[in-house]
Amino acid sequence: MKPATRIILIGAPVAIAVSAILGIGGEEEIPLADRPREARKTAAPVQNPLASGTASERQALEARIAKMPAGLADPAKKEIAAQLVSSAEHSTLNWRGRYGSIEDLGDGRGYTAGIIGFCSGTNDMLQLVEAYTADHPDNGLARYLPALRKVDGSDSHEGLDPGFTDAWAAEAAKPPFRAAQDAARDRIYFDPAVRLAKMDGLGTLGQFIYYDAMLLHGPGLARDGFYGIRQEAMRKARTAAEGGAEKRYLNAFLDESRSAMRARTGPARRDTSRIDTAQRVFLRNGNTRLTPPLQWRMYGEAFRIPAS
């Protein structure tokens, strides 16, 4: 593992609905169209762009999205996305080997665990264990649910030590818990990010940039949450769905994401390699489809995904 300053996944779900967006644009002929891990206040929180629209509008939009190219949701591209995230979160492309990882990184989020860094202090770990326990009530983590509810929003280990880390690692050896981690990742982060990126007319790389930002900043409405960052980027450049240049918009979005990362102080201040020497490199090279071979550096370490 790299230093704790880089593995910070901020997120919890917001109520997700969708509003209709019309038009055509973007790569691959795509039609146009946080709860933060630490409490933050903002004078003017933005509105969740996915939280409006009538039932008929949502139905029409979902039908439109279903006709779009798979993009990052294509199994081969989703595998690449998992490897890219794992290079940042675990310094390895072997993301499947990280289901059982768990440690306190000293970043104020309690325990960080699993394939994307579910945290005991940020609600997503609680959601994961609750959902898993609903399907598997006799699992080894179920007895820790009262403690997880109590420490949610803090860095406390009260009620979790000394057995929680061993219980997590033991449960992660079981296929159902690994599947539960996959499902929570998709429900809280991957699916909403990819859907919104498609609505914004973004191709596969843009969809990954949204997904990674959703993991980093959480699906929050404050300026340093995902939706706040997106709104700030839209003030500087039009999305492809609005008729803008995709590359210009994505650069604006990465600028805002990077600024949010650098604005934090102490343990929460992150190394920005995942933007500077990975995503920005792919964008500069025009690889909007995330087509292998892919080469990037993460915290000075070189990674490569060969051509298939």
Side-chain angles (χ1 to χ4, degrees), residues 42-253:
T42 178
V46 302
Q47 182 179 2
N48 180 354
L50 302 180
S52 63
T54 66
S56 60
E57 287 173 335
R58 294 195 297 271
Q59 185 176 11
L61 180 59
E62 290 299 331
R64 195 177 311 123
I65 290 175
K67 296 178 182 178
M68 296 178 184
L72 199 67
D74 176 85
K77 300 298 185 182
K78 191 171 183 179
E79 176 67 20
I80 289 173
Q83 291 177 305
L84 289 169
V85 169
S86 187
S87 74
E89 302 306 326
H90 302 295
S91 297
T92 179
L93 300 185
N94 180 23
W95 63 273
R96 291 181 177 84
R98 306 306 298 172
Y99 287 103
S101 66
I102 180 166
E103 63 179 311
D104 190 320
L105 301 171
D107 57 12
R109 279 102 176 147
Y111 282 120
T112 296
I115 53 173
I116 59 166
F118 299 99
C119 291
S120 60
T122 68
N123 193 254
D124 56 357
M125 180 182 286
L126 174 60
Q127 290 186 67
L128 165 62
V129 177
E130 284 181 333
Y132 180 57
T133 300
D135 293 333
H136 304 276
D138 296 327
N139 77 82
L141 296 172
R143 67 181 182 272
Y144 293 101
L145 274 173
L148 285 172
R149 295 185 182 109
K150 187 173 182 179
V151 303
D152 188 25
S154 76
D155 63 355
S156 174
H157 294 183
E158 184 178 355
L160 298 176
D161 290 339
F164 183 70
T165 57
D166 288 341
W168 180 282
E171 210 63 33
K174 303 175 183 179
F177 188 53
R178 296 197 292 270
Q181 288 193 40
D182 293 347
R185 171 201 62 200
D186 291 351
R187 177 176 56 83
I188 300 172
Y189 302 111
F190 186 87
D191 292 345
V194 171
R195 181 183 294 112
L196 183 58
K198 288 183 176 183
M199 290 168 60
D200 283 348
L202 305 179
T204 303
L205 174 59
Q207 292 163 33
F208 174 73
I209 288 172
Y210 268 27
Y211 169 52
D212 194 61
M214 188 81 79
L215 287 174
L216 275 169
H217 304 290
L221 306 183
R223 184 164 180 170
D224 57 355
F226 172 84
Y227 293 104
I229 288 169
R230 173 179 173 270
Q231 176 160 298
E232 289 302 310
M234 292 176 70
R235 288 173 177 165
K236 295 176 173 62
R238 291 180 298 169
T239 67
E242 298 170 318
E246 183 178 19
K247 185 174 182 179
R248 181 179 178 185
Y249 170 73
L250 288 176
N251 271 315
F253 184 91

